Amino acid sequence: MLALVLERQHELSMREIDLPIQVGPDDVKITLHTVGVCGSDVHYYTHGRIGSFVVKEPMVLGHEAAGTVVEVGSNVKTLKAGDRVCMEPGIPNLSSRASKLGIYNVDPSVVFWATPPVHGVLTPQVVHPAAFTYKLPDNVSFAEGAMVEPFAVGMQAAARARIAPGDVGAVIGAGPIGIMVALAALAGGCSKVLISDFSKEKLEIAGRYDGVIPVDLGKESYASAIARETADWGADVVFEASGSSKAYNGIFDLVRPGGALVLVGLPVEPVTFDVPGAISKEVRIETVFRYANIYDRAIALIASGKVDLKPLITGTYAFRDSIAAFERAAKALPTDVKLQILMD
Ligand SMILES: [Zn+2]
């Protein structure tokens, strides 16, 4: 099949590659419609690795996907040919201890699209377990279906935060994931969510949403903005979504006593942080790794109209122009949130 292949760091090609398309009894075959370009896809292209995951052999990119079921395995009762769907890109071992605990995202044996050595889905068709394939309601487009994956990270962060109705949230970093976290926190009950960045363009995009308060770190410290918005009490939940080690300087000044800090961004190096600052406020610290049992809720929220992800799609490319899409994504333009590739 034709696919967008990352041959090695800095080298992409559109070429034929052998991919398994045998439909097992519990699988479905999907013709892909829309695939989003993710920061991780771009990072493999520009750096050749993420942490311990290293690109050693050619790998098909892409994991944020929606499409149409064209064939179902003999055991599959929940889906049929013609169903519009989106897919959860991680396949755990359903017999694993982690899966039995409901935390299949941290199953050490999870197989995740476009994470070396596993191929992704920038190719016309893929076979996937029906258990990780979700039907899209009629009012949710393929483009939105392909946004469920990054939004699920935001939803997982909101779930880990254990938001109480009316909480004030504060997100560090207005990149795609930061914005997803802010929208999920609002949908999860926050009365308002501050979001900080140094980029005016990113803040302008985030600030278009009702309830999101952008804070320009070039003009004002985050601690003073949060103090102003919370009568000097601090945010109930702070989400770190920048992945910058610098964000940890003074991070506990942002959290209210007894509040929570949720770590979403992945720093490339170990970071130091202020343990006494955390202890003196008895801050609860949570971490987020992808998501588990989130997709159906994310789709339901989008279908309800409470979350509108469409404005975040800032560019769409044809499949044959995938390399151009990746070159643009690698530039990390501050006015871009999500680029998508149309497969047909
Ligand atoms: Zn992604």
Side-chain angles (χ1 to χ4, degrees), residues 38 40 63-64 149-150 338:
C38 180
S40 70
H63 63 262
E64 302 180 355
E149 200 276 336
K338 178 59 65 183

Side-chain angles (χ1 to χ4, degrees), residues 283-306:
V283 170
R284 175 168 58 87
I285 299 175
E286 302 278 353
T287 58
V288 171
F289 184 66
R290 297 172 181 159
Y291 36 73
N293 298 307
I294 291 286
Y295 255 57
D296 17 29
R297 297 162 176 278
I299 294 166
L301 257 185
I302 295 166
S304 76
K306 289 186 175 144

